[in-house]
Amino acid sequence: IGSQKNMKPFKINHVAEISLSYQNKVAAKDRPKISNAEDAYKLLHALWDKDKIEMHEQFYMLLLTNANRVLGRVHLSSGGTTGTLVDLKYIVVSIAKANASAIILAHNHPSGTLKPSKADIDLTLKIRDICNVLGTPALDHVIITPHDGYFSFAQHEII
């Protein structure tokens, strides 16, 4: 590493402090509970910006307690009409910040098709694997369309 006599002293005020915090002002009993894919779809569809659902893909994540109550929703990305990129580190940070016990992923298909693409499946499996390492399971990934319902990766045994 080098000689210690040539080392400069550390400037500790040049090291940023990192802190994680999360505040939820909604009582646990009042948070929506997700029991199945339809519950997730209904909540996500109600929360989705209807002015954008047919314009471009957006990717969201629901953070859940161990009782599957919703801690919050995280907007992970927005893209074009045929795809969007998701930063996996942002998923990990969001899970840690909210101390989530599980997650549900969701994105829309502006085209209205309910069939997941190969890229959708590959990303879902990559996120599932990361979440398994964290001990925070990805319970489902729901594809939402403006008018034709949803596709659940869990119901189709992909996740």
Side-chain angles (χ1 to χ4, degrees):
I1 296 179
S3 171
Q4 287 189 4
K5 57 184 159 180
N6 294 334
M7 283 182 53
K8 294 181 181 178
F10 288 110
K11 295 182 179 179
I12 59 172
N13 61 339
H14 288 184
V15 177
E17 180 178 337
I18 308 296
S19 66
L20 296 175
S21 67
Y22 167 80
Q23 293 181 359
N24 193 333
K25 297 184 187 321
V26 179
K29 66 178 180 52
D30 295 330
R31 296 176 193 154
K33 183 176 174 104
I34 304 297
S35 299
N36 52 46
E38 185 174 354
D39 289 347
Y41 165 71
K42 286 179 179 177
L43 177 63
L44 288 158
H45 194 270
L47 292 171
W48 218 278
D49 184 341
K50 302 304 184 274
D51 292 333
K52 296 180 181 177
I53 197 166
E54 293 183 273
M55 293 296 296
H56 57 88
E57 275 198 22
Q58 295 181 298
F59 205 106
Y60 286 91
M61 174 174 59
L62 294 176
L63 299 161
L64 306 174
T65 67
N66 61 354
N68 290 343
R69 296 223 175 245
V70 178
L71 291 166
R73 173 183 70 148
V74 179
H75 176 249
L76 294 170
S77 70
S78 291
T81 56
T82 60
T84 187
L85 297 174
V86 176
D87 186 339
L88 300 176
K89 290 180 284 187
Y90 194 44
I91 292 172
V92 173
V93 168
S94 300
I95 290 169
K97 189 167 188 169
N99 197 25
S101 296
I103 65 165
I104 295 175
L105 304 165
H107 79 281
N108 65 312
H109 278 176
S111 66
T113 182
L114 288 173
K115 185 177 179 186
S117 67
K118 181 176 180 344
D120 292 338
I121 293 169
D122 291 347
L123 177 62
T124 301
L125 297 178
K126 185 182 282 189
I127 294 169
R128 179 203 62 193
D129 293 345
I130 290 168
C131 288
N132 285 343
V133 169
L134 296 173
T136 305
L139 302 178
D140 204 347
H141 182 167
V142 180
I143 296 174
I144 294 178
T145 62
H147 309 290
D148 298 320
Y150 67 96
F151 177 93
S152 163
F153 282 63
Q155 286 178 341
H156 289 86
E157 299 179 356
I158 298 173
I159 196 168

